[in-house]
Amino acid sequence: MSLSAFLAENAVPVENIKFVASKRFLGEDGNPIPWEIKTITGTEDEALRKSCAKRVPVPGKKNQYQKETDYDLYLGKLAVACTVFPNLNDKELQDSYKVMGADALLKTMLTPGEYAEYLTKIQEVCGFDTTMQDEVDEAKN
């Protein structure tokens, strides 16, 4: 056994995928325009999770806190980080929807059903076998 297979130059790159997030955005040919999605690294994902974590007091325990992740916020940031096309940070695109910020733009561009489906696809591309919503639902039960 050799460790050379694990070297960065020998790893098979993860390809970006095309996904029709909405049938409402049509190209000149009349067909829906596919969006381009990429995966992010574990380091980038950890930074996203940390940015969505907050300290909340433990009920009944004075001066004790636990870390809690806002999964809705996390999934929104993950979707923005993974979206290559369209460029959600484009000022003209944000202005056309009268929003500021890529996360707000994404939520405004897509209907609630499209947004939920897009988040599921993002998680699939990033290699999550179960969606974050499945994990949240399981934790609640």
Side-chain angles (χ1 to χ4, degrees), residues 1 13 19 60 68 74 79 84 87 108 110 116 120 123 125 128 133 135-136:
M1 290 259 178
F19 177 73
E68 195 173 279
Y74 166 71
V84 176
N87 179 3
T108 304
L110 300 175
T120 300
Q123 291 172 79
V125 169
F128 294 112
Q133 189 59 48
E135 291 182 24
V136 169

Side-chain angles (χ1 to χ4, degrees), residues 63-75:
N63 296 327
Q64 288 192 2
Y65 297 88
Q66 64 187 16
K67 190 168 88 169
E68 195 173 279
T69 302
D70 182 339
Y71 282 106
D72 291 332
L73 179 62
Y74 166 71
L75 289 175

Side-chain angles (χ1 to χ4, degrees), residues 60-100:
K61 300 204 176 184
K62 193 174 183 178
N63 296 327
Q64 288 192 2
Y65 297 88
Q66 64 187 16
K67 190 168 88 169
E68 195 173 279
T69 302
D70 182 339
Y71 282 106
D72 291 332
L73 179 62
Y74 166 71
L75 289 175
K77 287 185 174 192
L78 179 65
V80 167
C82 293
T83 302
V84 176
F85 180 82
N87 179 3
L88 299 174
N89 292 305
D90 184 78
K91 182 183 179 338
E92 183 181 355
L93 190 56
Q94 289 181 15
D95 288 348
S96 76
Y97 283 92
K98 297 174 179 45
V99 297
M100 287 184 66

